[in-house]
């Protein structure tokens, strides 16, 4: 009995001694943290998505406080409203940024891009891409296994069963960039939402020459440069047989859409064009009637 009591007392005293030692060590080596970090973190949505480029909201808040300005910091989930609150907490100025959205740069649906083989392995775009070029003739297009869907924490992407392509919900997309990182083919891009959510982009990522690209997908960009010549704002460049529209220069005139022979350029959220009768033809008809 005495042995048990002695053991308990000894262990208790040892635990107390170690606690005192740890307390003094913690006091000596403790790091003072800026209380503003907690204030900034309280403004953030808490998604911890990594879209800001940091490991989580805490790391982003710490970066905002230590940076001294907000020029290189932006929370894509919270957007301009959250950044304005953070600027208020830190007494800094912040420039508003245009809202962005994920865009799928591939038009290779089941009709445009017929399958040449059948994949029955594990359902993963990354694994599929590491094994072979894909089950269609295009080695640049969507692999249709849905890695982007799994990566999205906001439910903004779904696979369309009819087309085999991912579709982005503009209202749910926060432009965190998780789907961009998840796509092994790099066909998903963050672009400006545009005024009234209207935007024009090349929905193709193929760098094959025109004939090869067209054979693999009927809606592929063939690098014909018609869009580049038609654009009055110099927003389109063609490199490696692929056209690209700079959304910072594009004025949404849609002349490139009319010129594209394959329909690879998509205009999103525009009202349908109203067909206007030819004025000369109308005048001629008027003369005939009179």
């Amino acid at each position: 009995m005495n042995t048990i009591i002695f053991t308990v007392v000894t262990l208790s005293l040892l635990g107390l001694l170690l606690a005192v030692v740890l307390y003094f060590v913690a006091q000596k080596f403790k790091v003072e943290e800026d209380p503003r970090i907690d204030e900034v973190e309280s403004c953030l949505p808490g998604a911890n998505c990594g879209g800001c480029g940091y490991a989580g909201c805490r790391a982003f808040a710490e970066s905002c406080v230590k940076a001294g300005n907000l020029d290189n910091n932006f929370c894509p989930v919270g957007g301009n409203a959250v950044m304005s609150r953070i600027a208020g907490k830190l007494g800094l100025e912040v420039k508003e940024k245009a809202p962005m959205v994920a865009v799928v740069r591939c038009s290779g649906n089941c009709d445009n891009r017929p399958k040449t083989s059948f994949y029955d392995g594990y359902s993963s775009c990354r694994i599929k891409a590491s094994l072979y070029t894909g089950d269609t003739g295009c080695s640049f297009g969507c692999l249709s296994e849905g890695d982007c869907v799994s990566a999205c924490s906001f439910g903004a992407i779904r696979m369309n069963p009819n087309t085999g392509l991912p579709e982005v919900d503009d209202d749910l997309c926060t432009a965190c960039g998780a789907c961009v990182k998840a796509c092994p083919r790099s066909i998903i891009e963050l672009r400006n939402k545009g005024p009234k959510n209207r935007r024009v982009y090349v929905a193709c990522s193929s760098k094959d020459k025109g004939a090869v690209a067209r054979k693999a997908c009927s809606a592929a960009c063939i690098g014909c440069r018609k869009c580049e010549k038609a654009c009055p704002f110099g927003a389109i460049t063609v490199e490696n047989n692929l056209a690209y529209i700079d959304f910072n220069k594009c004025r949404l005139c849609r002349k490139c859409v009319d010129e594209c022979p394959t329909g690879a350029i998509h205009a999103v959220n525009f009202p349908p064009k109203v067909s206007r009768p030819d004025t000369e033809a109308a005048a001629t008809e008027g003369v005939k009637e009179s």
Side-chain angles (χ1 to χ4, degrees):
M1 185 68 179
N2 291 334
T3 303
I4 297 175
I5 296 175
F6 176 77
T7 303
V8 171
V9 172
T10 302
L11 291 174
S12 299
L13 292 174
L14 181 61
L16 180 62
L17 177 62
L18 291 175
V20 172
V21 171
L22 289 174
Y23 172 77
F24 283 109
V25 170
Q27 291 298 313
K28 183 175 179 60
F29 294 102
K30 71 177 180 180
V31 178
E32 295 291 342
E33 193 173 61
D34 195 321
R36 293 180 299 171
I37 296 176
D38 291 327
E39 295 180 12
V40 173
E41 188 180 14
S42 67
C43 298
L44 297 172
N48 292 309
C49 61
C52 57
Y54 295 91
C57 292
R58 183 73 179 181
F60 176 74
E62 186 175 352
S63 172
C64 290
V65 172
K66 291 182 177 180
N69 63 70
L70 300 174
D71 295 344
N72 298 319
N73 290 331
F74 186 76
C75 173
V77 179
N80 291 315
V82 165
M83 294 308 299
S84 296
R85 289 200 295 270
I86 292 174
K89 294 283 186 183
L90 300 178
L92 300 173
E93 293 184 358
V94 62
K95 296 179 181 178
E96 283 200 6
K97 292 188 177 181
M100 305 190 81
V101 67
V103 168
V104 180
R105 295 188 59 213
C106 179
S107 299
N109 58 37
C110 301
D111 295 329
N112 297 336
R113 189 170 51 129
K115 289 191 175 185
T116 57
S117 61
F118 179 75
Y119 173 76
D120 61 353
Y122 183 76
S123 181
S124 166
C125 296
R126 194 163 297 279
I127 293 176
K128 190 174 182 179
S130 67
L131 295 176
Y132 71 133
T133 57
D135 46 14
T136 71
C138 178
S139 59
F140 297 92
C142 178
L143 293 165
S144 304
E145 297 298 331
D147 284 15
C148 53
V149 177
S150 302
C152 182
S153 303
F154 305 96
I157 306 181
R158 73 176 188 94
M159 295 300 297
N160 186 318
N162 297 321
T163 64
L165 295 175
E167 293 181 346
V168 180
D169 188 324
D170 292 359
D171 296 328
L172 296 178
C173 180
T174 62
C176 69
C179 56
V180 177
K181 297 175 183 177
C183 180
R185 289 283 175 82
S186 301
I187 67 166
I188 303 180
E189 176 191 14
L190 295 182
R191 296 180 67 90
N192 280 358
K193 272 191 174 182
K196 297 182 180 179
N197 287 347
R198 295 173 184 174
R199 52 194 174 274
V200 178
Y201 64 95
V202 180
C204 181
S205 301
S206 175
K207 295 179 181 178
D208 284 329
K209 290 184 178 181
V212 178
R214 189 64 182 272
K215 183 178 180 181
C217 177
S218 60
C221 173
I222 56 176
C224 64
R225 296 185 180 272
K226 287 185 177 181
C227 56
E228 185 180 38
K229 296 174 183 176
C231 180
F233 307 105
I236 305 178
T237 54
V238 179
E239 293 182 2
N240 297 321
N241 308 307
L242 179 63
Y244 180 79
I245 300 176
D246 185 340
F247 54 78
N248 292 311
K249 296 180 180 179
C250 179
R251 295 295 178 269
L252 307 178
C253 67
R254 291 184 287 171
K255 290 184 179 180
C256 56
V257 179
D258 297 331
E259 289 293 327
C260 182
T262 63
I265 302 179
H266 289 192
V268 182
N269 295 327
F270 286 88
K273 288 186 176 181
V274 179
S275 58
R276 297 178 181 177
D278 183 53
T279 54
E280 293 184 2
T284 303
E285 289 294 328
V287 172
K288 288 181 179 179
E289 290 179 1
S290 62

